[in-house]
Amino acid sequence: MPKALSLFGHPWRWYWLALAVIVLDIVTKVWAVERFMYGPELQIIPGLLQFTYAENYGAAFSFLADAGGWQRWFFGAVALGFSAMVIVWLWRLPAIKRWEPLALALILGGAIGNLWDRIVLGYVRDFISVYYGSWHFPVFNVADMAISVGATMLVIELLFFAESKDAEKSAEV
């Protein structure tokens, strides 16, 4: 069987990773709803980190949360289109690559995890709260962390490894 068609070969391994992120995101959101929706917060690191429950009707940092409902479908369509683009992007990457597909798989899993909430519930469930004194970072979830880590990895690749790729391409010519 050709390696490209193997269920754990390239690019399938990256789709499996995205699926793992989706499952982890949904499982932790269900846990957070059951534990914190009607109960008290759980202090993990007092004065810095706690688990709580929040519903985000907008995008990142509750952007457009009070826009009247149209944003649910708009952000859902954007996430769906972006996810389709990432699926194709992953499929076309050379099997030798590791960093870029890892980043894309994290982003894909996070995007679909939040898309699931947005389509099924109309909002995204968040439960991780980072704060210090009166300063509070917006509450987030596992999908948000995956997206953030994946996006950071892509930026790092662009800033620090793009030159070496350009040198490789020019050496091939």
Side-chain angles (χ1 to χ4, degrees):
M1 174 182 276
K3 186 170 176 137
L5 298 177
S6 167
L7 284 179
F8 296 101
H10 175 77
W12 292 105
R13 68 176 143 228
W14 307 116
Y15 299 143
W16 286 112
L17 176 59
L19 180 62
V21 170
I22 295 164
V23 169
L24 179 62
D25 179 59
I26 291 172
V27 166
T28 57
K29 287 174 179 174
V30 167
W31 169 77
V33 168
E34 291 174 354
R35 177 78 163 75
F36 305 114
M37 186 172 201
Y38 301 109
E41 295 88 8
L42 174 63
Q43 296 292 319
I44 306 301
I45 303 173
L48 185 64
L49 176 66
Q50 70 180 8
F51 289 157
T52 188
Y53 178 74
E55 296 172 355
N56 182 354
Y57 289 85
F61 307 113
S62 295
F63 176 67
L64 294 176
D66 57 353
W70 64 267
Q71 73 278 19
R72 170 186 183 182
W73 303 110
F74 173 74
F75 293 133
V78 168
L80 192 60
F82 180 77
S83 296
M85 181 189 77
V86 172
I87 288 168
V88 172
W89 188 352
L90 278 168
W91 189 267
R92 292 182 176 181
L93 283 175
I96 196 164
K97 289 197 170 235
R98 298 289 182 268
W99 185 267
E100 186 176 357
L102 174 61
L104 291 171
L106 291 173
I107 293 169
L108 179 63
I112 293 174
N114 280 341
L115 176 62
W116 175 264
D117 273 11
R118 198 170 305 286
I119 289 172
V120 172
L121 304 170
Y123 55 86
V124 174
R125 300 168 289 183
D126 292 325
F127 64 94
I128 303 168
S129 176
V130 176
Y131 63 98
Y132 183 74
S134 62
W135 174 83
H136 288 264
F137 190 78
V139 182
F140 57 96
N141 58 42
V142 170
D144 297 332
M145 290 189 304
I147 292 168
S148 297
V149 169
T152 301
M153 289 174 68
L154 285 179
V155 168
I156 289 169
E157 179 174 356
L158 178 68
L159 292 177
F160 298 105
F161 301 112
E163 290 178 11
S164 64
K165 288 179 188 174
D166 291 340
E168 288 174 19
K169 285 183 183 177
S170 62
E172 291 174 1
V173 175

